[in-house]
């Protein structure tokens, strides 16, 4: 493994580029702070340089909170979000890819490490309305560009409801929303009528994992 001194390149300006992207973002973005020690430890674990977008975010941030808290991008870790880029495999569902972000209704964005397609380096999305992984057809840098400059309202149109921004304000750090009826059912397609309960985001993932396993056993 490379030493941290080999991974921090003094002539790298990638973080400056990311900061400019954040400044021009369509959605709200909050950059969470991290300590230098945590940033360097995360970079060391990843074994990437700070010249990469992934490395720059790992070294310089605890994570990013995007779009009023709808989406959390993992960094070196922070109390206000769950997990980090060096500690993101704490549940069986997360073992299917290298998780780099999650959303409030249980969606996961994971960088492919060979689990989905041995030839792909794309980010995949675990969709709560299908309980399946979907190829975003974007590498990590393009994924970050899409998060900051893409149309999240359109992407998440079927998951959002009137007043969702106000509802997210009441969530505690590390919480998501358990939605019932489940989003993958026919009855769960109307987010205006669905019940939404604040719970630990791990609880949302655990429920999804259990349901997915049951459906697979039933051949659905």
């Amino acid at each position: 493994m490379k030493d941290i001194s080999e991974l921090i390149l003094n002539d790298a300006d990638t973080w400056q580029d990311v900061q400019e992207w954040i400044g021009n973002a369509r959605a709200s973005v909050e950059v969470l702070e991290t300590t230098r020690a945590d940033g360097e430890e995360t970079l060391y674990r990843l074994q990437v340089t700070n010249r990469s977008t992934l490395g720059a975010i790992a070294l310089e941030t605890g994570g990013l909170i995007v779009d009023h808290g709808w989406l959390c991008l993992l960094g070196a870790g922070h109390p206000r979000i769950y997990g980090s880029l060096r500690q993101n495999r704490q549940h069986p569902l997360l073992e299917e890819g290298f998780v780099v972000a999650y959303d409030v209704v249980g969606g996961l964005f994971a960088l492919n490490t060979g689990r989905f397609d041995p030839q792909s380096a794309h980010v995949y999305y675990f969709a709560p309305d299908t309980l399946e992984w979907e190829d975003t057809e974007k590498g990590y840098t393009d994924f970050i560009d899409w998060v900051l400059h893409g149309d999240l309202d359109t992407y998440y149109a079927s998951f959002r409801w009137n007043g969702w921004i106000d509802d997210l304000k009441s969530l505690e750090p590390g919480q998501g929303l358990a939605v019932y009826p489940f989003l993958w059912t026919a009855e769960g397609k109307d987010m205006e009528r669905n019940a939404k309960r604040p719970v630990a985001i791990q609880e949302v993932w655990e429920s999804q994992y259990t349901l997915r396993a049951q459906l697979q056993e039933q051949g659905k």
Side-chain angles (χ1 to χ4, degrees):
M1 296 180 68
K2 291 185 178 180
D3 186 76
I4 188 64
S5 62
E6 301 176 84
L7 300 173
I8 298 179
L9 307 177
N10 293 327
D11 61 344
D13 56 4
T14 306
W15 175 236
Q16 180 178 337
D17 293 338
V18 174
Q19 288 178 301
E20 292 178 1
W21 301 344
I22 291 171
N24 295 323
R26 292 181 61 172
S28 64
V29 182
E30 182 178 358
V31 180
L32 301 177
E33 295 181 349
T34 188
T35 65
R36 191 64 175 180
D38 283 344
E40 290 185 0
E41 176 64 18
T42 304
L43 197 67
Y44 177 75
R45 295 279 189 91
L46 295 177
Q47 285 292 292
V48 297
T49 73
N50 62 329
R51 184 167 287 158
S52 67
T53 305
L54 179 64
I57 290 176
L59 179 65
E60 302 290 349
T61 82
L64 305 178
I65 296 179
V66 180
D67 210 5
H68 308 283
W70 185 275
L71 188 61
C72 292
L73 304 184
L74 301 185
H78 192 278
R80 290 184 57 194
I81 61 177
Y82 180 84
S84 69
L85 289 172
R86 69 177 188 274
Q87 191 179 24
N88 65 1
R89 295 177 180 270
Q90 299 176 10
H91 188 275
L93 185 61
L94 307 189
E95 293 180 358
E96 300 189 30
F98 183 77
V99 176
V100 294
Y102 65 87
D103 61 45
V104 72
V105 290
L108 290 162
F109 291 94
L111 189 61
N112 181 41
T113 56
R115 163 65 174 79
F116 308 115
D117 180 348
Q119 306 301 319
S120 169
H122 291 166
V123 172
Y124 282 67
Y125 179 58
F126 182 81
D129 59 342
T130 65
L131 301 183
E132 298 292 342
W133 289 97
E134 303 170 354
D135 189 354
T136 67
E137 300 184 350
K138 303 179 188 298
Y140 183 79
T141 298
D142 287 341
F143 166 69
I144 296 299
D145 179 69
W146 170 77
V147 167
L148 297 178
H149 306 124
D151 189 351
L152 296 180
D153 283 330
T154 296
Y155 185 79
Y156 282 114
S158 63
F159 293 161
R160 290 180 170 176
W161 61 96
N162 290 326
W164 65 269
I165 295 176
D166 288 334
D167 289 347
L168 263 56
K169 292 177 182 177
S170 66
L171 296 181
E172 299 294 330
Q175 281 190 323
L177 290 172
V179 180
Y180 187 82
F182 300 119
L183 290 170
W184 56 270
T185 65
E187 298 81 5
K189 303 306 180 186
D190 188 350
M191 287 298 287
E192 297 297 337
R193 301 181 61 182
N194 288 349
K196 309 164 193 74
R197 181 169 59 93
V199 298
I201 192 65
Q202 306 98 296
E203 185 175 325
V204 180
W205 295 330
E206 184 174 351
S207 174
Q208 291 174 338
Y209 179 78
T210 301
L211 289 167
R212 184 170 182 249
Q214 292 173 349
L215 292 171
Q216 289 176 337
E217 289 178 0
Q218 297 169 6
K220 295 183 179 181

